[in-house]
Amino acid sequence: MPTNLTPALAWQRLREGNERFVSGESQHPNQDASRRSSLLEGQNPFAVIFGCADSRLAAEIIFDLGLGDAFVVRTAGQVIDDAVLGSLEYSISELKVPLIAILGHDSCGAVTATKGAVETGEMPPGFIRDLVERITPSVLTAKRNGQEDVNDMVVEHVKQTADRLADSSRVISDAIEEGRVAVIGLSYKLGEGQAALVSAIGQV
């Protein structure tokens, strides 16, 4: 049975969980044996969280969630590739999840590396280069807007990632158009533990 939450209610639930985490009042819901058993036949997450793989950005913890609550996809610098798009499309088309949250954070290593590559012209080796190439447009846009701080670049990258999802995936763009799904961009502060809304596509 898919969640009956609207995109706006799903965002409210994420926000309330994050507020509990920030204030030190996490409830750690849906983490017991009975919840585990209830999910044997399937899953009905109410949100997709596509975030950076940074170890300090554990999605279920910072939004005070449990088993079966969120469909989580993570890559360094929340970089989109075909596997990410396929995972997100699966969550929308098969699991009927109403909300995709793009989760970036301050002091992001991948964005910092990209800023360095753009400024020095020196690309990192191996597959890290692929990450940097995918983040470069966001860094260049931020610089064109006069934003030299890496945290401003993170916010720009979150916004561009959300836009790219809506542009690249027909499954996601159709769901947004029909009002079934919204895509929000969140910027997380490592010190405060707070995830702030920085962009929204669709009704939230």
Side-chain angles (χ1 to χ4, degrees):
M1 194 47 200
T3 179
N4 57 4
L5 293 183
T6 61
L9 286 171
W11 165 226
Q12 182 183 334
R13 190 165 162 193
L14 277 186
R15 200 167 60 239
E16 288 169 352
N18 183 236
E19 286 167 1
R20 290 194 301 272
F21 172 69
V22 169
S23 63
E25 295 170 0
S26 294
Q27 295 169 357
H28 310 290
N30 298 331
Q31 296 181 18
D32 56 8
S34 67
R35 176 65 167 182
R36 208 166 59 225
S37 302
S38 74
L39 293 167
L40 282 173
E41 301 304 317
Q43 57 171 324
N44 300 297
F46 73 90
V48 185
I49 300 170
F50 171 40
C52 182
D54 191 294
S55 63
R56 298 164 291 182
L57 206 67
E60 287 91 348
I61 294 175
I62 67 176
F63 293 108
D64 194 23
L65 302 173
L67 298 172
D69 288 334
F71 188 87
V72 181
V73 180
R74 296 171 70 180
T75 61
Q78 71 274 358
V79 162
I80 296 172
D81 61 16
D82 289 350
V84 167
L85 280 172
S87 300
L88 296 180
E89 287 189 351
Y90 171 79
S91 71
I92 299 304
S93 59
E94 298 297 320
L95 301 177
K96 310 298 184 193
V97 177
L99 183 71
I100 299 175
I102 314 293
L103 183 62
H105 65 97
D106 53 6
S107 309
C108 178
V111 177
T112 302
T114 304
K115 180 178 187 283
V118 166
E119 290 171 352
T120 64
E122 293 175 25
M123 290 297 279
F127 282 98
I128 301 173
R129 180 183 184 130
D130 185 59
L131 293 175
V132 164
E133 286 173 349
R134 291 169 192 260
I135 299 171
T136 293
S138 302
V139 169
L140 291 174
T141 300
K143 281 180 159 293
R144 269 200 307 276
N145 294 336
Q147 297 172 318
E148 296 294 332
D149 184 79
V150 72
N151 295 335
D152 292 329
M153 293 173 178
V154 167
V155 170
E156 180 61 35
H157 183 52
V158 167
K159 292 176 180 176
Q160 288 204 19
T161 302
D163 289 344
R164 186 160 168 231
L165 272 187
D167 291 343
S168 305
S169 167
R170 172 57 66 85
V171 169
I172 294 171
S173 62
D174 284 353
I176 293 169
E177 210 164 289
E178 292 162 15
R180 291 189 290 112
V181 170
V183 179
I184 60 173
L186 302 174
S187 180
Y188 179 78
K189 287 191 164 32
L190 294 171
E192 292 88 350
Q194 191 166 34
L197 186 71
V198 295
S199 70
I201 306 170
Q203 293 300 310
V204 289

